[in-house]
Structure formats: C-alpha cells, structure tokens
Amino acid sequence: MADNVKRVAVMGSTGSIGVNALEVIAASEGRLQAVALTAHSRLDELAAQAKRFRPRWVVASNAKVAAKFDRKLLPRGCEFLKGPDALVEVARQADVDVVLAGIVGRAGLESTWAALDEGKTVALANKETMVMAGELVSELIKKKGGRLLPVDSEHSALFQALSAGKTSEVARLILTASGGPFKDLPLHELQQITVAEALAHPTWDMGPKITIDSATMMNKALEIVEARWLFGVDAAKIAVVIHPQSVVHSLVEFIDGSVIAQMSPPDMRLPIQYALHYPDRVNGVAKRIDWRQTLHLNFDPPDRDRFPAIALGEEAAKVGGTAGAVLNAANEAAVQSFLDGDLHFTEIVPASRSILKAHNHESRPTLEQLVKLDKWARQEVSRWVCA
Ligand code: NDP
Ligand code: MG
C-alpha cells in the first residue's frame, strides 16, 4: 500500500453521511481506503458496501439485528464484529488513520472519544458528541494530540474561513441556516405538521433526525454549541442568519469588518472530501456553482419567536457544563417521539426547554455524569409524552 493512503473507518456507513463518504472514497483514486464500515440495522446495505469496498472490519452495532445476519453475505477477509463495543474497537485500531464520525446522535460519542483518546484524527459529522461533551472532548484533544476536522457544512465553512486571520482577530462566527420547510408557514399551522411534511427539507437530503432538527431549527441550536467548542469561541460571538439558498455555508467576521464566506452548492460530499483529504484540496465529485447562471443570495435575521430553539442553543453554549448533554438528549428523545407519532411537532422544543430548565446544572461534569444525565433527560421526555 502506498504511504500516502489514508485508511478511513466509516462509522455509520449506511447513513446519509456514510453513503456520501463512500462516494468520496470511491472517487479518491486510491488515496482514501475504507478499512472499516459500521451500521446499526441496515445490514443488507452494509453487506453490499462491504462487497464493493472490501474493508478489513465490518461492524453491526445492534447486537440483536446482528445475531440474525448471515456472515456468508460478506466477502472473504472481512472480520465481522457485533455490538456497540465493536465501534470503539475499530475506532482504536492502529491501522485506522481517520475516523469518519457519521453515526447519528448520542450513539456516536464513544467511538469518537476512543479515536481521540488514541490521538487520531476524527472527521466529525456527529455534532451531538460536541454538544454533549464538547469541553471534555477539547481537553482530551489537548492531552492526547488528536484532531477534529469538521464535516458539518457550516463548521467546515468556518474552519476554512478562519484561516484568513488569527483567532484573536475574530469578531463573530455567523452560522447560516436554510430556515427549513416552515420558515414562512403561518404560525397557527405549525401545530398540525405531519412527520412527512417535517421530513421534506427544501435544500438538503439528510437522515431523519437532523431533518427534523432542521425543521425546528434545533439543528442550528446544536451547531451553536458545536461551534463554541470546536473553535473555542465565546457563545456571545456566535450568530445565526437565515440564508434559504444554502450556498454560503457560514461566515467569519474579523475585527476589521472583513467577512469571509465559504460557498458551494448544498452537497455534503464537499465538506466530507475536504475533511478526509485535509490539508489537500482535490478535484472531486461535489457539485459546483454554475457562474453562467444568475445567483441570488438572501440573508435575513431569524424569527426568534418562530424558532425558540435558537435561544436554547445560545444558552447551552453560554453556560456550558451539563447543559449541552441535557439539551441534546431531551431533543433526541423528543424528535424520536415525534417520529413515532407520540408528540406534536410544536412540543419538541418546549419539552427540551423544560427539561433543560429542570436539571441541576453542574459546571464541571465528568463524562460519566454526562452519560447519566443523558439517560435522565430521555426518561423526562417519556414522562412528558405520557403526561
Ligand atoms: P442517518 O440516519 O442517515 O444515518 C445514521 C447512521 O448511524 C446509519 O449508518 C445508522 O445505521 C447508524 N446508527 C443509527 N443508530 C445507531 C446506533 N444506536 N449505534 C450505532 N450506529 C447507529 O444520519 P445522517 O447521516 O443524516 O447523520 C449522521 C450524523 O451526521 C448526525 O450526527 C448528523 O447530525 C450529522 N450531519 C449530517 C448531515 C447530513 O447531510 N446528513 C449534515 C451535517 C451533519 P443504520 O442505517 O444501519 O440504521
Ligand atoms: Mg450543518
């Protein structure tokens, strides 16, 4: 194998991020190699991916589903591992150079933590890890010398724009948000929103959890907290602007008033490619702006009454400690309840807010405390649903 090949563990390879990451790997002309693939329940898709990419490790993290899986579907030479601990096992392998964190939700925490604990590079899509434990993750990186490269499009944009100046010269990070499908819907109609309507995102094709988060704008709330810890910037310096075209992925305003933006059509393959090939830029598969066409870009301040989630993200980023873990878990459980038909769309944010307010805030929690609180917040959502 050539020395410059990066061996990538694709965590959550059957998801929206995972599938896009595999396209980037397939187009890399051998510079990237998928050495591990992981999925939770879509094991037929996982097996098809394994046939195509011939990884060394294939992980089925849901042990119950894995028990029914026919290993003969995998090509020879693949090691088949089962259960959530196997995610950690592959993330720690010496033969893995980069871990692409594409698992959705809190379930992504342990494998990202393990990779950073080994001093590895993580290409991070799984923002929930930073929302839950961003401060501890930052400390782990300092201690073990690992690295986080953002895959979330806004944070990839910020990361690229930040290279135009010094950290001390940053006045503001400006996160763009499409506004989701309901930014212009009369407020009284929000109450009746169905799961199918909430899953129809105007600009991005993503997994169900983040698509609902985009509709409530909790996604932007989580991204405020993610940016706070990824870039070590005070919460007060992070702003949100509505940009319906999703072409400017975020902006950095420097102290002299210069604003640096990163632009490209909405296509996750670009930030994934940038993170996996970093520090190189390559000619890849992502869509490009067609400069022969008229391009209109709009920027509007967010309607904070319509999208109360934004204030929750600002608060969690400001107070730190246990707030992010509680907000993340409450939201994750509330979104699942909405998808299951047990909660109205308009209850997701109030449930999250009330659980965030009810918890006993700690400013310097351990990882174990955060994991406990995560469980507690999920139980509180069940109580809210039953009430
Ligand atoms: P998907 O729902 O499409 O995919 C999730 C992946 O995680 C699947 O491979 C799934 O396996 C696996 N998974 C689900 N539950 C578990 C679990 N309990 N343990 C282990 N693995 C699990 O999500 P997305 O790809 O949309 O999102 C992934 C992450 O990336 C999220 O954190 C999201 O916020 C972030 N992100 C996504 C973007 C996007 O464009 N999709 C953009 C920016 C960030 P299986 O399919 O087998 O069930
Ligand atoms: Mg994003």
Side-chain angles (χ1 to χ4, degrees):
M1 189 194 303
D3 279 350
N4 59 355
V5 175
K6 276 191 200 164
R7 295 162 301 180
V8 186
V10 184
M11 317 302 285
S13 63
T14 48
S16 160
I17 288 289
V19 167
N20 278 317
L22 288 177
E23 280 189 33
V24 167
I25 291 171
S28 73
E29 297 174 345
R31 293 175 67 178
L32 304 170
Q33 192 193 0
V35 289
L37 302 178
T38 88
H40 202 56
S41 47
R42 289 182 273 184
L43 301 194
D44 290 342
E45 288 170 39
L46 180 66
Q49 291 177 341
K51 275 196 187 124
R52 181 165 174 219
F53 289 91
R54 305 254 161 184
R56 180 152 160 209
W57 297 281
V58 173
V59 177
S61 47
N62 183 332
K64 267 195 198 151
V65 181
K68 292 183 213 137
F69 179 69
D70 178 5
R71 285 171 187 229
K72 288 195 213 88
L73 291 174
L74 295 178
R76 269 214 228 141
C78 284
E79 196 176 325
F80 183 61
L81 304 168
K82 291 184 280 193
D85 292 347
L87 298 171
V88 170
E89 196 182 327
V90 295
R92 286 191 184 276
Q93 291 290 344
D95 288 347
V96 167
D97 302 312
V98 182
V99 170
L100 185 278
I103 291 175
V104 61
R106 177 254 170 276
L109 172 75
E110 281 83 0
S111 46
T112 291
W113 185 273
L116 294 173
D117 191 46
E118 296 291 337
K120 291 187 195 293
T121 297
V122 174
L124 184 83
N126 177 255
K127 65 192 85 184
E128 292 91 343
T129 289
M130 292 310 276
V131 178
M132 189 176 172
E135 188 166 14
L136 293 177
V137 167
S138 309
E139 287 169 9
L140 181 68
I141 289 171
K142 270 197 201 122
K143 206 162 119 194
K144 299 290 173 91
R147 172 149 220 192
L148 276 178
L149 295 171
V151 164
D152 211 350
S153 54
E154 296 77 0
H155 303 73
S156 176
L158 292 172
F159 181 67
Q160 295 177 59
L162 279 166
S163 65
K166 302 189 190 99
T167 309
S168 59
E169 295 164 350
V170 172
R172 234 174 341 173
L173 305 183
I174 301 147
L175 291 164
T176 54
S178 71
F182 309 130
K183 81 178 166 41
D184 301 315
L185 197 74
L187 280 178
H188 67 271
E189 288 181 31
L190 284 175
Q191 183 80 22
Q192 279 86 43
I193 278 164
T194 63
V195 170
E197 286 166 339
L199 284 175
H201 195 278
T203 50
W204 294 100
D205 182 12
M206 311 178 284
K209 194 259 176 184
I210 184 175
T211 305
I212 303 303
D213 285 347
S214 299
T216 59
M217 288 230 357
M218 188 62 90
N219 185 45
K220 222 40 61 181
L222 304 180
E223 290 183 353
I224 292 172
V225 186
E226 180 186 13
R228 191 258 170 273
W229 297 116
L230 269 181
F231 304 116
V233 167
D234 273 0
K237 287 188 177 176
I238 304 173
V240 172
V241 67
I242 301 289
H243 166 55
Q245 293 88 3
S246 301
V247 168
V248 172
H249 295 297
S250 278
L251 316 96
V252 176
E253 184 180 322
F254 288 95
I255 47 175
D256 60 356
S258 273
V259 178
I260 310 290
Q262 185 267 336
M263 295 166 65
S264 53
D267 182 341
M268 284 309 293
R269 291 174 298 184
L270 183 56
I272 293 169
Q273 174 184 294
Y274 183 73
L276 292 182
H277 284 281
Y278 184 83
D280 298 336
R281 289 189 185 269
V282 301
N283 181 1
V285 283
K287 291 180 214 129
R288 284 155 191 261
I289 295 173
D290 180 355
W291 293 105
R292 294 165 305 180
Q293 306 288 324
T294 305
L295 180 61
H296 291 288
L297 302 175
N298 300 73
F299 299 94
D300 294 297
D303 177 344
R304 300 173 71 92
D305 295 330
R306 177 183 293 268
F307 296 119
I310 296 174
L312 297 185
E314 288 168 345
E315 188 187 333
K318 185 172 147 207
V319 302
T322 48
V326 172
L327 178 63
N328 182 63
N331 174 61
E332 207 173 312
V335 168
Q336 193 55 54
S337 300
F338 169 66
L339 289 171
D340 294 342
D342 296 331
L343 204 67
H344 282 297
F345 179 78
T346 46
E347 286 178 291
I348 298 172
V349 175
S352 304
R353 185 200 296 117
S354 99
I355 294 162
L356 180 62
K357 287 227 158 82
H359 98 281
N360 291 322
H361 184 262
E362 278 257 5
S363 53
R364 291 288 301 157
T366 62
L367 196 60
E368 291 70 32
Q369 279 174 302
L370 294 178
V371 169
K372 262 196 195 156
L373 266 174
D374 173 276
K375 282 203 183 112
W376 170 82
R378 284 163 203 271
Q379 284 160 4
E380 291 299 300
V381 172
S382 309
R383 290 187 350 147
W384 175 287
V385 168
C386 296

